[in-house]
Amino acid sequence: MPPAPVGPGDTPVRCATVEDLARVRERLAKVEGGHDNLRDGLNTLSVQFADLRRDLTRAVADNAAQTRREIMGRVDDLTDTATARDTEISARLARIEGGLKLTSWVSMTFIVLATGLLGWGQVGDAVWSLCRRALGYGP
């Protein structure tokens, strides 16, 4: 009896032989082995990626810490420099202020002495003039 038609093209049904089944099983075993190899490779890649991510994270954190230390060192240096400048400027201003106080004191002393001497000079002239009149020597 001829094979029964199976579809629109009326293609006859073909039966597999034991050899065909052996080849299919062999191919299936190869595919499953390849799948296992791919899964193992993906697991290995996943572990390597996790290690890489951990190492990169650690390297970035270490670099950030080093950068922070360098920046803080520079800030400390700038602060020390500014403090030294402030101290120097304060010392200079104190010396200038002391010089101005001394100059002011000397000027005031001179003015007081000059005013006093001029005042005593006028007093002396007035007494001299009075004495001359009293003794009859003057106008």
Side-chain angles (χ1 to χ4, degrees):
M1 175 167 168
V6 267
D10 291 335
T11 314
V13 176
R14 184 173 171 254
C15 294
T17 64
V18 173
E19 294 160 353
D20 290 336
L21 286 177
R23 275 191 297 253
V24 168
R25 285 183 184 147
E26 186 178 325
R27 280 183 171 172
L28 183 61
K30 285 182 181 180
V31 168
E32 285 177 347
H35 181 266
D36 290 343
N37 286 340
L38 284 176
R39 184 175 50 237
D40 292 343
L42 285 175
N43 288 339
T44 302
L45 283 175
S46 178
V47 168
Q48 288 174 347
F49 181 74
D51 291 345
L52 177 63
R53 184 176 58 212
R54 181 196 65 227
D55 293 343
L56 285 175
T57 302
R58 184 178 298 142
V60 167
D62 291 347
N63 284 338
Q66 178 64 28
T67 302
R68 263 192 307 278
R69 284 191 297 272
E70 289 175 4
I71 288 173
M72 292 312 295
R74 290 178 184 169
V75 167
D76 290 342
D77 291 344
L78 289 173
T79 301
D80 293 344
T81 302
T83 302
R85 285 183 191 163
D86 288 349
T87 303
E88 182 181 342
I89 289 171
S90 294
R92 285 182 182 176
L93 288 174
R95 286 193 304 269
I96 290 170
E97 184 180 357
L100 289 174
K101 284 181 181 179
L102 178 64
T103 303
S104 177
W105 183 84
V106 168
S107 297
M108 288 304 296
T109 303
F110 178 74
I111 290 171
V112 166
L113 287 176
T115 305
L117 289 176
L118 287 175
W120 282 110
Q122 288 177 350
V123 168
D125 283 344
V127 168
W128 180 256
S129 198
L130 182 65
C131 288
R132 282 181 56 186
R133 276 192 212 153
L135 296 174
Y137 290 115

